[in-house]
Structures are given as C-alpha cells and as structure tokens.
C-alpha cells in the first residue's frame, strides 16, 4: 500500500528533502515509530531521497544489518534488531486449557529472549500447535498480541528435551523448568532413553507428538549436565578451524621487544583451587617515596591478551561472538581457544608470560595516589589457591611453595590490602554477603557435595586489588579522552524502591522514598535488621531492587561499588569487555601492537556483550539447579528443611536450606480451604484456619520430585498435614516479624480453592 509523503500513518519527517542520507539514528527512529511496515521505498520517500541517494541508502541499510542494528521482516520491511516486526510469521507453540493460543516468531536472531505472543484466534480451535501463520503484531500493556492474516503451510515447533521410556513407549521431557508437559515420541530417529535431543512438535491436542531430528548427547554422562544449557541457549562450544589455526600461530610468536622486565618480583596469582585460567597476579611492597609516607607500591599484572588477539582476526571474531567464557561445574566453554586461554595467555608459575601491568601507588589511607600502565614480562613465583593463601597468612606452613614466599609476597599484599579495605569501608559500597553455591564433583564427574562457597579475606583481598586496577584503567583512559567500555551499574528505579518499601513495611522497617538513595542506605537497613533468621530474605529483596549492570561507552557510574568511574580490565581471557579496555589502553598510551583499529562501535559492542553476559549467567544458574536437583533426587520422599523464597497467588517457592534449588508448593496442595494471597506482605493466609505461608518462613516439607532435566523441585506437606508448620520468625531488637497488611485499592481475584487429592 502506497502512502503519501504527509500521510498521517507516517512519523513526521523534514518537509524539505534532506541534503544527504539520513543518519543511522534517524532511520531507527523512523522504523520504530512508523505505524506500518517500513521498507527501503518508504524510508527513501519519507526523507525525500534522490535516485543517487537511494543507491547509497541500500548500502547503508546493508551495513546496519551487518552491524546488528536492524533486521528485515517479510516483504523486505525493516525493524529494529531485538524488536518484533509489525507483520511476521509466527509458529503456534501452545493452546492452553482456557483455549488461549500462543505463538513465537518463526525467525528470531536477537540476543534477547524470544517473545511469547498471544494470538487472537478468530475461529476458536482453528489453530493448533506447530501451525504457522502470517500475523500483524501490536505491543500491548501486557506484552504482544497477534492478529492472524493468513494460515501458512504446516511446520513444526523445535523443542530441546530428554527422552524417557515408559513401558514400550518413549516420551520427550522438555528442559524448561516451567514446562511440565511431556510429549509421546512418534519417531526417535535412532535416539534412546536418556538422550538429549532436538525434536519437532506438531499436531493438535490431544494428539501432539514429538519427532526427534537430532541427537545432542547424553546429559547424564559424567560431566555433561551442561550440555542441556549449551544447546538450549545456543552457546557456541566448538571453535572454527580458522580460529584454532590462528590461535596456534599467535601462540608461537615471541613476547616482543620493549617489555618492562618484572621477572625479579615475587608476583603471585591467587585463584580458586579449580581455576582453569589465570588472568591476574598481584604484588605489593611499602613505598619508599617520602611523598607517599606510609603508603604502598602495588602491581596488578593482567594477561596481555590484546598482544595475541588482534582486532578483526579470526580469533577476535570468535571471541566477540561468545562475549565471555561460560563456567559450568563440569566444564568451561572458553571465549578463546584453549592454547591461549589455558596455556600461553594464562599466568603460570615459573613461566615467562606477557602481561599488561597496572602500577599503583596507594596511600596509607587506601586511596589511589597515581597509576601507570606498561607492557611487561612476568614470571610468577606461585599460583596459590584462596584457601592456601588464607591458611598461610593465618600462620600455616608446608604448602607447595617456599615458606619464605609468605613473608616476601603474601604479608606485604595483606598489609596493602588493609589500607584498600579501609578506603572501601569509607566509600560504603553495597554490602550483600549472599552465599554462592558450589558443586563439587569427583574425578569421574559424580556429585560429591553441594554447599555454599566459603568467603575468606583472601577473596576480599583479590577483589579490592582488582577494583583498584579497574578504577585506574577507567581514569587513565579518561585522562587521554580515549574510548572506554565502562561497567555501568545505575541506581535502582523508583518502582523497585516502592516495592522494597512495601516489603520492608511488613517487618515495620522504615524506608523513606524521598531520600537520596546510596548504597549505604541499604547497608543501614541491614544494620537495623541485625542478625535474624530472615536477614537473608531481606538481602535478597534488596538485591532484587537493584538494576542489572551492563557495558556501555557512556559513564553513569557504578552504584553498587559507589564509584564514579569503573571499567573491567582484569579478566581479558574470559571477558571481551576487558579485551576492549586493554586495546584502548594500548592505543592511548602507545604501548605497541594490538590496540584499537579505529572503527570499533563501542555502543553496539556494549549492548551485544551485555546480552551475552546475561545468557551466560542464565545458563550457569540453570546448570547449577540441575546439579542440585540431581543431588537431591536421592532424597525424594524425605522431609527436608526449606525456606520460602517467593509467594504467588498459585503457591509458594521454597529452597532447601544449605543446598539451594528452588521448588514449588502448589496452593492446591495446601488443604481444603481458601487461601488469600496478600501481595504486599508476600504471604498466603488460610481464611478458616488463619494458617500463613510467608516469604522467609522456614518449615519442613516432603520432597516430592527432583527433576535433573529441568532443575525443578516440587514439595508436599508432610503426611496427614493440611496447613503449614507455622514457624514464627524471631524478631531482632526493634524489628517485628511480617504482619498481614490490608491491600490498597480494590481487591483483585485473590481467592484460590484448594482440593484434597
């Protein structure tokens, strides 16, 4: 359909023809604001382009597609990358019990979760799972809605799942935690029970079947649970041969001339005992400069990855596509080929290694007095595990290094760190000491234990030295007015603060919204709460109120660390953002080859690697959940101590104390009475018994199911019990346990009838 230049369906554009091509920003604004599909013809007409300019526009649009700014929709119309075209092809993936039809885009290459779209099925029951439609989409308050235009040729839905056998039939069990349905398998394609497969789902209820199209491996084999997350999230785990060959060549090159020789210093790397790569090493000594009386000299030596991985190379393309290494309990999917990540770039004791050295001067109060960066060669005195470093500084001996190294290297590091820690305390960053789960496997890949990681001063020492180097890197680039890939963490949004205020009210903890919120504001809340059983729940809620950190060339500070300028510099083996900061430093300070090539788009790169980071975090978290479920599967049927971590109108979620793993306790299984959901107080209340299930409550439940495929747990009440074991939460001094608040405004549909089974 053709539109006139001043059609009301088009966004406003200049009345006079543009003297040149529109900018990328203008094109994006036009595409996103247009009420109808915008192709090259509509863009050219809107901006009044000449015939010659239309040729240039075609090239510009191709560049924007290659850069990941736009994508093409059916009919050669464009849309912003990550957005949904106004007209697109959808696959029907679900028809729920209420008759609602749901679809997803058939083609989705954006680095954000695939949107789930409600389809307005004009002929009730006409659309079934696996069917394809051409639809017009619109964004509504609750998400996306699609209006079918045409039913297309049949196709199938792709699902990742694990096969299981029941009698003489195979069933496909999906890997999604929220997906509890299983599909009968019509064609296993040679796969067997226990195999991880990709399958096509087609048909209409009740005859929806699965056809296996690819066997992906055995996720139950030793050290293989991560296979599920790798395939589900499309994490590239095999390097192109071109990149492997280039890495072999790069690894053979000499360290280069003009490097500062730091091999005489007792520099040490302190890492986890199971570390697969070693990005950083540290050294400190008292400063003999009278101008820094009582202060310290320190070096943070970082693997010089930019020397080996040049912009635009085959290795660089692979690294950028991955964005970061992904760490699973059973394997690591590295950002760089192993010959670089685990060998040549990794800082190892007794081996000469290329490093980018950050030289710091630290005052006796812990402030950064000055900094400089050099390319250096280092030879580490030792690679030390956190636990061993802590034991040595606490007076232990007999480790795998010369005992004299403790006095020469570790003692000065600890003394300098105490100054850095004092400055950190004065800065008052956000202090949420939430435990991290650690899965320990034996040599055969069997689960030995799942427990929280111990938090030592050795961990805090390395963190504070790395933070100091990251600050120095950001400020050094700012001094040269060079591009910076900042690590940005913005202050919490107001709506999150309002939700936190409502939550804290249930504990009668005051929280004023009108104040200037700083990290110390949240620390004061925790100080007021004190050491009470429900302290972890408050810390988790404060964490949920925070914004998600991201990478960008525009500096908005780091709220959580209470820092004005912050960049990631210390992990270039495993994070592409750090590699970009290294290249910027090399270029800005003339440190030799391997700097920026001049055409990097820091904004686009920041958006991309932030999305890839979130993908990695989600994959790692899901894999931990699967290991936890596998570990707990031997305890199905037993009573376990749990803590309620979330309450909804359909039940509550709980985690097993000391182990983790989230499980659902459905509201329908709480007994035969009505339970009212108090949203503000985050609790379910039985209207007859007054029985309460509140966030943070600890109680004993029976583990009914532990599913290693999805990582999901399910709980039941102990036998013969209806209504929970009401466990009061002991209040801290001046703090009361949560109380039931009256809902504001008109009550919603909060009543849920529960049926005895």
């Amino acid at each position: 359909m053709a539109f006139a230049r001043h059609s009301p369906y088009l966004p406003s554009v200049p009345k006079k023809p543009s003297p040149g091509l529109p900018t990328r920003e203008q094109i994006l604004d036009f595409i996103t604001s247009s009420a109808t599909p915008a192709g090259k013809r509509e863009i050219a007409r809107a901006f009044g382009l000449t015939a010659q300019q239309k040729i240039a526009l075609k090239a510009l649009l191709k560049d924007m597609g290659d850069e990941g700014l736009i994508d093409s929709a059916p009919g050669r119309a464009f849309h912003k990358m990550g957005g949904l075209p106004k007209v697109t092809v959808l696959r029907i993936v679900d028809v729920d019990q209420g008759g609602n039809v749901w679809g997803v885009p058939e083609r989705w290459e954006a680095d954000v979760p695939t949107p789930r779209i409600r389809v307005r099925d004009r002929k009730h029951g006409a659309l079934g799972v696996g069917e394809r439609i051409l639809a017009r989409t619109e964004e509504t308050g609750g998400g996306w809605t699609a209006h079918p235009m045409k039913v297309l040729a049949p196709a199938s839905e792709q699902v990742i799942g694990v096969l299981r056998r029941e009698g003489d039939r195979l069933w496909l069990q999906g890997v999604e935690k929220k997906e509890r349905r299983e599909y009968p398998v019509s064609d296993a394609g040679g796969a067997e029970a226990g195999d991880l497969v990709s399958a096509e789902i087609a048909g209409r209820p009740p005859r929806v079947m699965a056809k296996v199209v690819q066997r992906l491996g055995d996720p139950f084999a030793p050290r293989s649970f991560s296979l599920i997350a790798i395939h589900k999230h499309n994490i590239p785990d095999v390097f192109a041969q071109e990149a492997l060959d280039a890495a072999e060549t790069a690894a053979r090159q000499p360290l280069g001339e003009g490097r500062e020789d730091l091999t005489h210093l007792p520099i040490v790397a302190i890492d986890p005992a199971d570390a697969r790569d070693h990005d950083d090493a540290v050294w400190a000594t008292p400063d003999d400069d009278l101008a820094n009386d009582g202060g310290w000299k320190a070096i943070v030596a970082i693997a010089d990855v930019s020397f080996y991985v040049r912009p635009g190379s085959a290795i660089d393309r692979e690294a950028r596509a991955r964005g970061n290494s992904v760490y699973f309990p059973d394997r690591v999917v590295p950002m760089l080929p192993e010959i670089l990540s685990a060998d040549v770039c990794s800082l190892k004791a007794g081996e000469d290694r290329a490093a980018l050295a950050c030289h710091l001067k630290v005052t006796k109060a812990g402030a950064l007095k000055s900094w400089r960066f050099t390319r250096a060669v280092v030879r580490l005195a030792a690679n030390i595990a956190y636990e061993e470093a802590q034991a040595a500084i606490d007076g232990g001996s007999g480790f795998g290094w010369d005992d004299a190294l403790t006095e020469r290297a570790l003692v000065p590091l600890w003394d300098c760190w105490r100054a850095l820690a004092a400055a950190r305390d004065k800065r008052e960053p956000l202090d949420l000491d939430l435990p991290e789960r650690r899965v320990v496997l034996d040599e055969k890949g069997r689960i030995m234990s799942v427990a929280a990681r111990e938090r030592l001063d050795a961990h805090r020492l390395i963190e504070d030295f790395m933070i100091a180097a990251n600050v120095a890197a950001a400020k050094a680039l700012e001094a040269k007015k060079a591009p910076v890939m900042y690590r940005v963490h913005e202050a919490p949004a107001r709506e999150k603060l309002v939700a936190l205020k409502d939550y804290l009210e249930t504990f009668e903890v005051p929280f004023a919204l009108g104040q200037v919120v700083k990290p110390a504001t949240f620390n004061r809340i925790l100080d007021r709460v004190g050491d009470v059983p429900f302290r972890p729940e408050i810390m988790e809620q404060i964490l949920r109120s925070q914004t998600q950190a991201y990478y960008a060339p525009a500096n908005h500070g780091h709220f959580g660390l209470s820092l004005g300028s912050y960049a990631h510099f210390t992990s270039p083996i495993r994070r592409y953002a750090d590699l970009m900061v290294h290249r910027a430093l090399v270029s800005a300070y003339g440190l030799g080859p391997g700097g920026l090539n001049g055409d990097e788009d820091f904004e686009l790169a920041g958006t991309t690697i932030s999305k890839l980071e979130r993908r990695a975090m989600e994959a790692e978290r899901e894999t931990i959940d699967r290991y936890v479920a596998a570990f707990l599967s031997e305890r199905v049927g037993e009573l376990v101590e749990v803590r309620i971590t979330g309450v909804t109108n359909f039940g509550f979620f709980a985690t097993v104390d000391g182990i983790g793993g989230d499980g659902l306790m459905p509201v329908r299984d709480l007994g035969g009475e009505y339970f009212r959901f108090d949203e503000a107080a985050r609790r379910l209340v039985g209207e007859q018994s007054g029985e309460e299930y509140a966030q943070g409550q600890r109680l004993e439940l029976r583990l009914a199911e532990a599913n290693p495929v999805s990582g999901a747990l399910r709980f039941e009440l102990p036998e013969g019990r209806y209504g929970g074991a009401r466990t009061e939460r002991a209040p801290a001094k001046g703090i009361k346990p949560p109380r039931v608040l009256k809902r504001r405004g008109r009550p919603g549909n909060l009543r849920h009838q529960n049926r005895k089974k």
Side-chain angles (χ1 to χ4, degrees):
M1 178 178 181
F3 291 89
R5 172 75 186 283
H6 300 293
S7 168
Y9 295 98
L10 295 176
S12 60
V13 294
K15 293 183 178 180
K16 294 182 180 180
S18 171
L21 284 178
T23 64
R24 284 168 165 78
E25 291 75 17
Q26 289 174 322
I27 291 175
L28 286 173
D29 287 344
F30 176 79
I31 290 172
T32 54
S33 60
S34 175
T36 57
K40 182 169 70 73
R41 179 182 301 174
E42 287 75 23
I43 296 171
R45 182 184 297 120
F47 289 94
L49 302 185
T50 64
Q52 192 65 30
Q53 288 171 334
K54 290 178 183 178
I55 298 174
L57 174 65
K58 182 178 180 181
L60 176 58
L61 293 172
K62 182 180 184 303
D63 289 344
M64 291 177 69
D66 293 340
E67 293 164 9
L69 295 176
I70 60 174
D71 197 2
S72 58
R76 297 189 177 274
F78 297 100
H79 62 275
K80 189 175 181 179
M81 184 65 78
L84 192 64
K86 293 178 176 63
V87 175
T88 191
V89 176
L90 303 178
R91 291 198 330 271
I92 306 303
V93 296
D94 191 21
V95 180
D96 63 26
Q97 293 180 350
N100 298 310
V101 180
W102 300 90
V104 297
E106 184 174 60
R107 181 169 176 263
W108 187 256
E109 299 176 357
D111 291 321
V112 294
T114 306
R116 185 176 167 91
I117 306 154
R118 184 174 180 179
V119 179
R120 296 291 186 185
D121 189 3
R122 290 170 293 187
K123 298 179 180 179
H124 188 70
L127 298 174
V129 173
E131 292 189 313
R132 301 164 67 241
I133 60 170
L134 183 67
R136 178 174 56 83
T137 62
E138 63 176 354
E139 193 168 9
T140 58
W144 290 88
T145 300
H147 302 274
M149 300 169 63
K150 181 181 180 182
V151 177
L152 304 176
S156 301
E157 178 193 1
Q158 296 287 325
V159 170
I160 302 294
V162 174
L163 298 181
R164 73 169 185 87
R165 182 174 294 280
E166 184 176 304
D168 59 353
R169 161 155 272 180
L170 285 174
W171 293 78
L172 178 70
Q173 182 179 11
V175 300
E176 292 288 349
K177 184 176 288 190
K178 295 181 180 180
E179 178 58 74
R180 305 192 66 85
R181 290 184 305 173
E182 295 186 343
Y183 301 97
V185 177
S186 61
D187 182 358
E192 300 177 352
D195 285 344
L196 179 69
V197 300
S198 174
E200 292 180 347
I201 305 299
R204 298 179 183 177
R207 295 191 58 80
V208 178
M209 306 288 286
K211 177 183 178 182
V212 174
V213 295
Q214 185 181 4
R215 180 185 182 275
L216 303 175
D218 180 3
F220 300 107
R223 302 184 181 276
S224 294
F225 263 129
S226 55
L227 279 175
I228 297 175
I230 288 170
H231 289 290
K232 175 187 171 184
H233 294 281
N234 295 314
I235 296 173
D237 63 332
V238 178
F239 285 99
Q241 189 60 47
E242 182 186 11
L244 294 174
D245 294 342
E248 292 279 353
T249 301
R252 290 193 295 269
Q253 65 181 321
L255 297 182
E257 301 294 331
R259 290 185 178 272
E260 182 182 16
D261 188 354
L262 300 178
T263 57
H264 62 288
L265 297 178
I267 301 176
V268 295
I270 304 176
D271 291 299
D274 57 354
R276 286 121 162 163
D277 47 56
H278 305 277
D279 291 274
D280 56 87
V282 288
W283 170 85
T285 192
D287 194 354
D288 53 7
D289 185 354
L290 295 179
N292 189 28
D293 185 36
W296 302 85
K297 293 188 296 185
I299 294 175
V300 179
I302 306 299
D304 190 2
V305 175
S306 63
F307 180 72
Y308 296 98
V309 182
R310 305 295 171 86
S313 66
I315 317 172
D316 182 56
R317 291 194 297 272
E318 284 267 4
R320 180 162 178 158
R322 295 172 181 230
N324 44 252
S325 298
V326 188
Y327 294 89
F328 300 109
D330 52 39
R331 74 181 70 199
V332 59
V333 179
M335 184 180 78
L336 302 175
E338 188 172 351
I339 193 173
L340 297 178
S341 62
D343 188 6
V344 174
C345 290
S346 191
L347 304 182
K348 295 183 177 181
E351 302 282 347
D352 285 356
R353 288 290 187 261
L356 194 57
C358 173
H359 297 256
L360 300 171
K361 285 209 170 189
V362 181
T363 70
K364 62 181 179 181
L368 295 185
K369 182 178 179 65
S370 65
W371 49 79
R372 64 185 178 91
F373 291 84
T374 65
R375 265 187 159 152
V377 56
V378 298
R379 186 184 303 137
L380 267 57
N383 290 94
I384 306 174
Y386 284 116
E387 295 79 7
E388 290 183 341
Q390 189 67 56
I393 209 69
D394 290 341
S397 61
F399 301 104
W401 66 83
D402 184 354
D403 288 345
L405 186 65
T406 300
E407 291 298 322
R408 290 191 300 120
L410 297 186
V411 170
L413 277 172
W414 249 260
D415 289 342
C416 180
W417 168 65
R418 290 187 183 97
L420 290 172
R424 179 184 180 126
D425 291 342
K426 185 178 180 180
R427 199 171 72 238
E428 294 189 289
L430 188 60
D431 186 15
L432 297 177
D433 196 10
L434 291 167
E436 178 186 356
R437 287 176 296 168
R438 182 187 180 204
V439 175
V440 179
L441 307 177
D442 64 14
E443 67 278 0
K444 294 183 178 180
R446 296 173 300 196
I447 307 169
M448 295 180 62
S449 65
V450 180
R453 287 184 184 271
E454 187 178 7
R455 182 86 167 142
L456 305 171
D457 281 348
H459 293 95
R460 298 181 178 93
L461 177 144
I462 293 300
E463 284 179 5
D464 283 331
F465 273 102
M466 297 305 110
I467 288 171
N470 288 336
V471 170
K475 290 186 176 295
L477 290 172
E478 289 171 351
K480 289 287 189 177
K481 294 182 170 51
V484 187
M485 183 62 77
Y486 290 100
R487 180 62 167 176
V488 179
H489 182 227
E490 299 185 64
R494 178 174 174 80
E495 57 267 24
K496 292 288 187 72
L497 295 177
V498 170
L500 178 63
K501 180 179 185 298
D502 290 342
Y503 176 73
L504 292 174
E505 279 183 3
T506 68
F507 296 88
E508 297 192 358
V509 175
F511 180 59
L513 291 177
Q515 63 183 311
V516 176
V517 176
K518 299 179 180 180
T521 306
F522 301 109
N523 297 339
R524 300 290 179 271
I525 292 173
L526 295 173
D527 290 342
R528 177 171 171 76
V529 169
D531 188 15
V532 293
F534 52 87
R535 180 183 176 90
E537 287 76 55
I538 292 182
M539 284 196 293
E540 288 171 0
Q541 197 61 34
I542 290 175
L543 180 63
R544 291 190 187 103
S545 72
Q546 306 301 304
T547 60
Q548 193 165 34
Y550 60 93
Y551 295 104
N555 186 18
H556 298 288
H558 197 293
F559 176 83
L561 292 175
S562 194
L563 291 169
S565 296
Y566 192 68
H568 273 169
F569 159 77
T570 55
S571 297
I573 290 177
R574 63 185 180 90
R575 291 190 305 226
Y576 195 82
D578 303 54
L579 177 55
M580 295 188 73
V581 169
H582 277 232
R583 288 171 175 167
L585 286 166
V586 168
S587 294
Y589 287 88
L591 300 180
L596 300 173
N597 62 9
D599 62 356
E600 289 88 353
D601 186 332
F602 270 56
E603 185 172 354
L604 176 61
T607 299
T608 301
I609 59 182
S610 295
K611 292 174 181 176
L612 295 176
E613 178 191 45
R614 290 191 286 273
R615 179 182 70 175
M617 291 172 62
E618 186 176 348
E620 291 168 354
R621 183 175 60 251
E622 289 177 1
T623 302
I624 293 288
D625 285 345
R626 291 186 176 99
Y627 268 105
V628 169
F631 183 69
L632 289 172
S633 62
E634 297 182 359
R635 298 182 61 184
V636 169
E638 297 180 13
L639 297 180
V640 292
E641 294 290 333
V642 304
R643 175 171 56 87
I644 296 178
T645 55
V647 182
T648 71
N649 57 7
F650 54 82
F652 62 79
F653 293 92
T655 185
V656 180
D657 271 350
I659 296 178
D662 290 322
L664 174 66
M665 179 70 200
V667 71
R668 65 176 179 271
D669 293 341
L670 292 180
E673 67 175 310
Y674 289 95
F675 272 78
R676 178 171 56 85
F677 174 45
D678 187 329
E679 184 176 3
R682 290 176 173 79
R683 68 175 67 202
L684 292 165
V685 182
E687 293 198 342
Q688 285 79 40
S689 66
E691 204 68 58
E692 299 175 2
Y693 294 94
Q695 186 164 316
Q697 183 178 334
R698 283 175 167 79
L699 66 160
E700 196 174 60
L701 295 175
R702 187 177 303 282
L703 181 61
E705 179 184 343
N707 187 340
V709 173
S710 64
L713 307 178
R714 186 171 61 83
F715 298 109
E716 293 176 346
L717 292 177
E719 291 179 8
R721 288 276 312 286
Y722 293 99
R726 184 170 179 178
T727 306
E728 291 294 344
R729 296 183 279 179
K733 186 176 181 180
I735 306 296
K736 295 183 179 180
R739 55 187 171 82
V740 178
L741 298 180
K742 293 182 179 179
R743 287 185 57 83
R744 300 169 183 169
R746 187 177 67 181
N749 182 20
L750 303 176
R751 300 178 64 170
H752 302 271
Q753 187 173 17
N754 302 293
R755 300 178 300 278
K756 293 183 182 180
K757 291 195 173 181

